[in-house]
Amino acid sequence: MNIQPIKNVGFISTRIAGTDGVSLEIEKWAEVLKRNRFDCFYFAGEIDRDGAISFNVDEAHFEHPDIVSINKSVFGVTNRSRETSNFIHKIQEKLKSALYEFRKKFKIDLIIPENALTIPVNIPLGIAITEFIAETGIPTIAHHHDFYWERDRFLINACQDYLDKAFPPDLHSMRHVVINSPASEQLSHRLGLSNTIIPNVYNYAKEPEGLESYPCELRNKIGIKEDELFVLQPTRVVPRKWIERSIEIVHSLKLPNPALVISHASGDEGDEYYHRIMEYSKYMGVKIIPIDHLIGSNHANNDKKYT
């Protein structure tokens, strides 16, 4: 058997930008791979990496108008129109062609779909990746963060055939990685897929760069005095993060000016939970301070961001 050496690794996702969990994990994985002399390249609908190693396709983004339209047509309903099916296939073919171009341009030896074969926020992309792998046999590490069965909004749908096919698929050249043991058990139980657990991690041995006066500046900017307790919820405002518990903890601390700082917005999961949390925080007498507009993956030069 002729085994080809692997040098160039292609990360594939809907978005590789900002401070969402998937983008941050891509950065960590890429750092480890580059340390071991692999070269990394990126395919997505939004990318904040060097343009020389990036391949941007608008339709790969889950916020692209066509993808938003498809999602409205297939989730929360039980039947889809023929037109919707044809539209999905049309975009899928465009994305699959782009994947072939991506592979050719950067001589990709291995791909790492990051959550793109896990959560169906972009069905055409998931199908395109699945067919691309099936047609090429390219070595693949499917990195799974959030399965569709973990989100209520995907349970009623008119696209179960697509979910069964691509979220995630079972292909001979693919290995599956999950981020925790419950996900591992569910993937094995539901689909019979063996997998490896690699938890999301943080490199505590690495000193933060350029701290200087950033923490004090942030306190001043959001109105927390130096002698007041800074309580941070470093997550998005989504139900599974149980923001209610954090509000209750802050309430129980009996602080002079009880406040909870939340680092990220709700993202692609809507604002219903956010509004509910804001009402609950008022009832509990805890001020919510959202700082998602100030948070970035790196300190920016012009528009200062906090990491």
Side-chain angles (χ1 to χ4, degrees):
M1 181 178 178
N2 185 23
I3 300 177
Q4 297 294 325
I6 291 174
K7 172 65 175 174
N8 295 339
V9 177
F11 287 93
I12 302 172
S13 193
T14 58
R15 173 182 62 192
I16 305 176
T19 58
D20 64 278
V22 174
S23 295
L24 292 177
E25 283 304 302
I26 290 174
E27 187 174 341
K28 296 171 193 174
W29 277 46
E31 182 181 342
V32 173
L33 287 167
K34 286 184 282 190
R35 193 188 308 154
N36 287 276
R37 300 185 180 181
F38 293 94
D39 291 326
C40 296
F41 303 89
Y42 306 92
F43 178 107
E46 179 186 355
I47 308 173
D48 63 4
R49 273 54 170 180
D50 185 350
I53 55 174
S54 301
F55 197 100
N56 194 302
V57 182
D58 291 342
E59 288 84 353
H61 203 300
F62 60 86
E63 290 184 344
H64 188 279
D66 290 344
I67 304 305
V68 172
S69 175
I70 288 171
N71 289 344
K72 288 180 179 178
S73 298
V74 298
F75 292 116
V77 297
T78 54
N79 294 95
R80 70 173 183 265
S81 67
R82 183 178 183 182
E83 289 74 20
T84 297
S85 297
N86 290 338
F87 194 37
I88 289 171
H89 296 153
K90 178 182 177 182
I91 298 176
Q92 166 234 316
E93 283 298 324
K94 179 177 181 179
L95 288 167
K96 186 167 67 170
S97 296
L99 287 168
Y100 273 96
E101 292 177 34
F102 175 60
R103 183 193 190 190
K104 182 179 180 180
K105 179 177 180 179
F106 296 118
K107 298 180 174 59
I108 302 296
D109 302 308
L110 175 145
I111 61 170
I112 305 179
E114 286 280 352
N115 225 31
L117 297 175
T118 317
I119 188 167
V121 292
N122 190 326
I123 291 172
L125 178 62
I127 300 171
I129 296 170
T130 298
E131 293 192 355
F132 173 71
I133 298 167
E135 292 167 6
T136 62
I138 189 169
T140 302
I141 299 173
H143 192 187
H144 305 301
H145 297 252
D146 311 281
F147 291 106
Y148 74 84
W149 53 76
E150 298 173 355
R151 307 282 185 90
D152 290 344
R153 62 189 171 121
F154 297 127
L155 298 184
I156 298 175
N157 66 74
C159 58
Q160 192 62 48
D161 51 332
Y162 295 144
L163 301 185
D164 292 341
K165 175 180 180 177
F167 294 94
D170 181 13
L171 299 169
H172 79 277
S173 66
M174 175 183 291
R175 298 296 179 267
H176 298 273
V177 170
V178 297
I179 63 175
N180 54 50
S181 54
S184 174
E185 293 169 4
Q186 284 295 310
L187 183 58
S188 299
H189 174 71
R190 289 172 178 267
L191 302 180
L193 296 177
S194 61
N195 56 81
T196 301
I197 302 173
I198 301 180
N200 292 349
V201 297
Y202 189 83
N203 185 6
Y204 289 100
K206 183 180 179 181
E207 287 287 337
E209 296 179 4
L211 273 181
E212 298 146 352
S213 61
Y214 268 68
C216 295
E217 290 180 19
L218 178 58
R219 278 179 172 272
N220 293 334
K221 187 167 288 191
I222 63 178
I224 295 181
K225 297 177 182 178
E226 192 171 342
D227 59 348
E228 290 181 334
L229 189 63
F230 189 120
V231 184
L232 174 67
Q233 173 89 28
T235 69
R236 291 194 294 156
V237 184
V238 293
R240 62 185 178 279
K241 302 303 181 183
W242 284 91
I243 311 295
E244 297 93 334
R245 300 292 85 83
S246 299
I247 292 172
E248 291 161 5
I249 289 171
V250 173
H251 174 76
S252 67
L253 291 173
K254 307 296 183 184
L255 301 172
N257 299 299
L260 176 65
V261 180
I262 302 180
S263 63
H264 289 68
S266 54
D268 64 320
E269 298 194 39
D271 295 328
E272 182 179 344
Y273 181 69
Y274 173 81
H275 293 306
R276 194 162 81 239
I277 283 300
M278 295 302 287
E279 290 180 7
Y280 186 60
S281 67
K282 289 179 182 178
Y283 172 76
M284 296 295 288
V286 175
K287 182 181 180 182
I288 297 292
I289 304 177
I291 60 169
D292 54 284
H293 60 293
L294 299 173
I295 300 297
S297 56
N298 294 292
H299 299 314
N301 293 325
N302 299 323
D303 181 19
K304 186 176 289 187
K305 296 280 186 177
Y306 303 88
T307 59

